[in-house]
Amino acid sequence: MKKALPIGVDNFEDIIKTGYCYVDKTMLVKELLDLKGKVNLFTRPRRFGKTLNLSMLRYFFEDTGDGERNAKNRALFGGLKIMEAGERYTDQMGRYPVINLTLKSAKQPSFQSAYVKLSGEIADEFRRHKYVLDSDALEEEDKRRFREIAGGKAGYDEYSGSLKFLSGCLYRVTGMNTVILIDEYDVPLENAYFRGFYVEMVDFIRSLFESALKTNDYLQFAVITGCLRISKESIFTGLNHLRIISVLDQQYSEHFGFIEAEVLQMMEYYGVEERFPTMKEWYDGYTFGDAEVYNPWSVINYMYDLCADAKAFPRPYWINTSSNDIIKDMIMGADRETQGQIEALLDGGTLDIQVHEEVTYEDMRARGENLWNFLYFTGYLTKKSEYFHESSVFLQARIPNTEVRTIYRNTILGWFRRQIEKQDFRDLYRAMEEGDARKMGEILSGQLFTTISFYDSAESFYHGFLAGILSQSQDYLVKSNRESGNGRSDIYVKSPSLRGRAFVLELKVSDSVDDLEADAQKALEQIYEKKYREELRTEGYRKIGCYGVSFYRKDCEVRLGKNWE
């Protein structure tokens, strides 16, 4: 039997002991020890293996205070790459006390409920180290304070300074400095920004970090993960030994996400390597440093579907991993310039942006460089190339792959549906009833002018665009792509009453603006040649109008046929 795929499993021990498939990222340990960073902040998009890597680091470095348990942790790494790296690295196994804290549970509707979750996570970590209470190395006052924090009975100031206090306790008991691992540090900030308590959350996270990372004599090293570098709010103020490793850096570039060789090896193992081109088109395309990286969450999910059905269609798995509020916000607030830039990206183009690594959640609503930087560092854009100009780094940014492009499209279509529901299209229906093709073209062109379009799949976009607008009528039913005569008409519009009117609309997408008129005429002629009216006649309609419609980007041409035949 093949190993199971670890969908949603991000505990290193569970993956190894249960026998899940594991893509070996243990050489992250070697690079950490070689580069000797005191406080290391890794910024990567969501679901790119940050939590699993931190779990792996915990099991590698942690001295649990129990010799038997330490031996079991060491056995987890049998056969993995780090065990072949040499004694210089394996000697560090099971050597340090480790504080392991995740902040992802702070995604709550109010600061108070978020604070309760965070203080609960801290209390859990204290209880995990309750063995220190058995040591005579701690004074009674420290033990009392420890019990209050572990029991959830301490105050705000105690919790905000708790990581430094815990590392001090661990040092006095073990004689070793502490490794601190903090996962998803920016989740509380992102959530607080959208929920309206950003300032309060920034104050708490700043106090927590300053005490643990800035003035902590008991710190061996720290690894922190998140999507963004948050520094405008001074969370890391004065932290001179902070090393920030973003998607731009060459170091650590292969440790978060899957490189192509790893994806190929996995597909060969499961016997689905013939689907590699689809895997690459949908989930590859990220560039971290100079490394080509696949989205690991999506690769594993698609692999799971392929193991059940080798012909399974790819899907945008990543869209369900977060709220995608950043894309929704961008679409709703897009001005004319931003709309044009989004359209260019969706059409396979690139956008030149100046790099600003210190973007914040407040910058998300900004236009221009900050918006695009935010999308870049959170994985909705990636680097095609980079260059240096006038003392600044610039990127040519693009949409990474089909999966992310689909997220943009789905968000845009959802936004468009909400927009047209708010509008009154009686003028369009009246023009269609009166045979006013010129007026119809003007109204549709006006709507295109205010809509974000994607042209690399133009036919499906324009079909959805026109069907969506026509579906707003209370007086007509709209059906599309139904079998009729010798082929398929694009759109039918018909009155619920057979005594009422019905329409057949055929669409064409032109190669240039100069082709609009001819293509609209061709669309009209196709209705008659392929007998698209037959289905409506069979149903009993006698008043049937025909329209040929052609599109080129933001322009539309409409041709009227022999109405009411």
Side-chain angles (χ1 to χ4, degrees):
M1 290 184 62
K2 301 292 186 181
K3 292 184 177 181
L5 288 156
I7 296 177
V9 183
D10 51 22
N11 180 280
F12 179 75
E13 182 183 38
D14 287 350
I15 285 180
I16 301 301
K17 289 181 68 175
T18 308
Y20 286 108
C21 177
Y22 175 63
V23 176
D24 192 343
K25 298 294 182 179
T26 57
M27 292 302 280
L28 171 61
V29 172
K30 180 180 183 299
E31 200 157 354
L32 273 172
L33 294 173
D34 286 345
L35 295 178
K36 295 181 171 62
K38 189 71 171 179
V39 180
N40 307 274
L41 170 59
F42 290 95
T43 59
R44 293 292 188 276
R46 301 269 180 246
R47 295 290 190 177
F48 268 74
K50 299 186 296 292
T51 300
L52 178 56
N53 273 343
L54 284 196
S55 178
M56 181 270 293
L57 293 177
R58 173 193 153 193
Y59 284 102
F60 184 88
F61 285 108
E62 186 167 42
D63 178 1
T64 64
D66 180 331
E68 183 178 348
R69 178 64 200 176
N70 286 351
K72 289 181 179 179
N73 285 354
R74 187 181 185 93
L76 296 175
F77 292 85
L80 298 179
K81 294 176 183 177
I82 190 60
M83 301 306 290
E84 304 299 323
E87 291 184 6
R88 175 185 173 189
Y89 306 102
T90 56
D91 283 349
Q92 299 294 308
M93 295 184 74
R95 187 172 179 180
Y96 306 97
V98 173
I99 296 174
N100 185 43
L101 187 67
T102 179
L103 306 189
K104 64 178 65 176
S105 65
K107 208 167 186 177
Q108 302 297 321
S110 69
F111 174 73
Q112 184 57 38
S113 56
Y115 170 74
V116 168
K117 286 292 185 181
L118 288 174
S119 59
E121 293 285 352
I122 293 170
D124 287 344
E125 188 63 8
F126 268 70
R127 287 192 289 271
R128 198 171 72 83
H129 293 283
K130 63 182 180 180
Y131 64 87
V132 301
L133 295 174
D134 298 328
S135 172
D136 294 334
L138 290 187
E139 297 180 358
E140 286 304 315
E141 176 59 23
D142 288 335
K143 291 182 179 181
R144 181 197 61 77
R145 183 180 174 188
F146 190 105
R147 291 189 182 98
E148 285 187 351
I149 295 174
K153 300 176 181 178
Y156 179 98
D157 290 340
E158 291 297 322
Y159 282 109
S160 64
S162 59
L163 300 188
K164 180 178 181 179
F165 172 65
L166 179 55
S167 57
C169 292
L170 292 169
Y171 176 81
R172 284 190 284 277
V173 171
T174 68
M176 299 294 292
N177 284 343
T178 301
V179 172
I180 296 179
L181 308 175
I182 300 176
D183 191 29
E184 303 284 17
Y185 89 98
D186 57 342
V187 166
L189 299 169
E190 176 188 13
N191 176 70
Y193 175 74
F194 286 112
R195 298 284 191 169
F197 53 92
Y198 193 59
V199 174
E200 297 97 317
M201 184 56 68
V202 165
D203 287 342
F204 180 77
I205 299 296
R206 180 194 299 122
S207 298
L208 186 71
F209 281 18
E210 282 185 348
S211 62
L213 307 174
K214 181 180 176 182
T215 58
N216 189 356
D217 294 332
Y218 310 113
L219 176 67
Q220 181 67 22
F221 68 85
V223 178
I224 310 166
T225 69
C227 278
L228 293 178
R229 169 186 177 178
I230 307 296
S231 58
K232 269 188 184 176
E233 300 86 347
S234 301
I235 288 174
F236 300 117
T237 297
L239 203 62
N240 297 324
H241 52 315
L242 174 67
R243 174 73 174 95
I244 300 170
I245 306 100
S246 76
V247 294
L248 287 169
D249 289 276
Q250 302 296 331
Q251 289 92 353
Y252 305 98
S253 58
E254 296 185 358
H255 301 310
F256 297 86
F258 296 158
I259 61 173
E260 190 161 286
E262 293 167 338
V263 174
L264 277 167
Q265 183 179 11
M266 191 186 305
M267 296 190 79
E268 290 170 359
Y269 173 77
Y270 288 103
V272 292
E273 61 270 25
E274 72 277 1
R275 300 304 305 276
F276 175 71
T278 302
M279 181 75 80
K280 185 176 181 66
E281 175 192 345
W282 272 75
Y283 310 117
D284 186 20
Y286 297 91
T287 303
F288 295 169
D290 285 335
E292 178 185 351
V293 178
Y294 287 67
N295 183 324
W297 171 257
S298 299
V299 167
I300 290 173
N301 276 272
Y302 187 42
M303 197 81 70
Y304 182 87
D305 287 347
L306 288 176
C307 288
D309 176 9
K311 297 180 180 180
F313 296 118
R315 291 185 288 161
Y317 305 99
W318 199 52
I319 196 171
N320 296 319
T321 62
S322 64
S323 65
N324 291 300
D325 285 330
I326 56 177
I327 295 293
K328 294 176 185 176
D329 194 86
M330 177 192 69
I331 299 301
M332 289 188 292
D335 56 19
R336 177 66 52 210
E337 180 182 8
T338 304
Q339 284 187 10
Q341 291 168 325
I342 296 171
E343 288 170 354
L345 289 167
L346 286 167
D347 204 28
T350 61
L351 180 65
D352 285 56
I353 59 174
Q354 184 178 352
V355 175
H356 300 294
E357 292 197 64
E358 297 180 6
V359 291
T360 72
Y361 288 99
E362 290 177 320
D363 294 328
M364 189 195 70
R365 295 188 188 275
R367 304 274 67 84
E369 302 289 355
N370 285 340
L371 170 66
W372 302 115
N373 272 269
F374 193 95
L375 293 170
Y376 170 66
F377 285 107
T378 51
Y380 293 96
L381 294 173
T382 194
K383 177 182 71 175
K384 180 178 181 181
S385 63
E386 61 183 308
Y387 57 94
F388 195 71
H389 178 66
E390 294 182 352
S391 303
S392 299
V393 176
F394 287 78
L395 300 176
Q396 274 197 325
R398 59 177 174 80
I399 295 175
N401 50 43
T402 299
E403 177 180 44
V404 179
R405 186 174 288 106
T406 300
I407 293 172
Y408 278 94
R409 288 174 179 164
N410 290 344
T411 305
I412 290 167
L413 290 173
W415 165 80
F416 175 66
R417 283 192 293 268
R418 291 189 294 273
Q419 290 295 105
I420 62 175
E421 287 171 0
K422 302 175 184 176
Q423 298 187 48
D424 185 345
F425 288 104
R426 279 179 290 185
D427 286 348
L428 176 64
Y429 309 131
R430 189 178 301 113
M432 187 168 64
E433 292 166 347
E434 294 175 355
D436 193 340
R438 183 190 60 80
K439 183 66 173 177
M440 288 177 64
E442 288 177 356
I443 294 171
L444 293 174
S445 293
Q447 284 297 311
L448 284 170
F449 191 70
T450 60
T451 300
I452 299 172
S453 312
F454 32 93
Y455 303 113
D456 62 340
S457 58
E459 188 171 347
S460 62
F461 167 74
Y462 289 121
H463 188 279
F465 165 80
L466 185 54
I469 288 177
L470 293 173
S471 297
Q472 297 309 301
S473 173
Q474 300 296 315
D475 300 322
Y476 290 100
L477 303 173
V478 176
K479 293 188 178 182
S480 59
N481 284 339
R482 292 289 304 276
E483 291 291 347
S484 176
N486 297 324
R488 301 168 67 88
S489 65
D490 280 311
I491 296 175
Y492 287 145
V493 181
K494 56 186 182 180
S495 167
S497 170
L498 294 175
R499 294 178 179 179
R501 295 165 175 169
F503 303 90
V504 180
L505 292 90
E506 180 66 19
L507 279 63
K508 296 290 184 187
V509 179
S510 299
D511 294 329
S512 73
V513 70
D514 295 331
D515 297 330
L516 279 170
E517 294 182 7
D519 286 340
Q521 185 63 34
K522 288 178 183 176
L524 182 62
E525 292 171 358
Q526 184 174 322
I527 294 174
Y528 297 108
E529 290 172 1
K530 297 198 174 183
K531 302 179 181 179
Y532 288 159
R533 294 174 297 171
E534 292 305 310
E535 180 177 336
L536 293 172
R537 283 175 172 166
T538 301
E539 288 183 33
Y541 288 97
R542 293 296 175 261
K543 295 180 179 180
I544 303 173
C546 302
Y547 287 98
V549 187
S550 61
F551 294 97
Y552 178 74
R553 295 191 176 267
K554 299 291 185 180
D555 289 300
C556 175
E557 184 74 21
V558 181
R559 282 286 184 271
L560 169 66
K562 302 171 185 178
N563 257 6
W564 318 132
E565 289 188 3

